[in-house]
Amino acid sequence: MANTEASLKEAAAIEGAIGAALVDYTSGMALGTIGGGKELDLTVAAAGNTDVVRAKVRAMEMLGLNEEIEDILITLGTQYHLIRLLKARGTGGLFLYLALSKDRANLAMARHQLKKIEAELEV
């Protein structure tokens, strides 16, 4: 099992990664971040993506969809933003956020690696 710091380091090592965060979507607070810098303020991204997750959860409830969200993908001109909701024991209300450079990343591989990181994460 990996802790938050090790998991974020592993996420940052994904090809094309700009930055990553572990976020509590009940509060909007980042529990940990890595990368970002001038290119991306991960604290602001964590809070903003909390609103995205909450909106999607509400929409699914209103639609009566009895499904779990695996991940949410936001595609920008030059970046991919992946939000992976965590389901392992003790991780309820948390998501992994990963920003990727579109020209350097393999989206399918990044999704696969985030799933692996989720499975090993212990909070």
Side-chain angles (χ1 to χ4, degrees):
M1 289 293 184
N3 65 15
T4 299
E5 184 179 345
S7 295
L8 289 173
K9 284 181 181 178
E10 196 173 341
I14 294 172
E15 185 72 29
I18 296 168
L22 178 64
V23 183
D24 176 349
Y25 68 82
T26 58
S27 69
M29 299 295 294
L31 304 178
T33 63
I34 191 167
K38 291 179 190 176
E39 193 172 0
L40 180 66
D41 184 332
L42 288 168
T43 304
V44 173
N49 284 305
T50 294
D51 291 337
V52 171
V53 171
R54 289 177 185 162
K56 187 59 188 171
V57 168
R58 272 193 314 273
M60 289 180 57
E61 287 171 356
M62 290 187 308
L63 292 168
L65 297 175
N66 192 19
E67 296 277 342
E68 287 188 353
I69 300 170
E70 281 187 29
D71 54 39
I72 298 169
L73 170 64
I74 300 166
T75 305
L76 305 176
T78 61
Q79 298 176 358
Y80 294 122
H81 291 221
L82 268 174
I83 300 167
R84 179 151 189 100
L85 277 69
L86 304 183
K87 293 168 194 62
R89 195 180 94 233
T91 62
L94 301 180
F95 66 85
L96 278 168
Y97 167 71
L98 177 65
L100 299 158
S101 172
K102 212 171 173 182
D103 62 347
R104 295 188 345 249
N106 177 325
L107 184 56
M109 185 58 76
R111 288 184 70 225
H112 175 74
Q113 289 172 296
L114 267 188
K115 186 176 182 178
K116 179 181 170 283
I117 292 167
E118 174 194 7
E120 296 171 356
L121 177 63
E122 186 175 287
V123 180

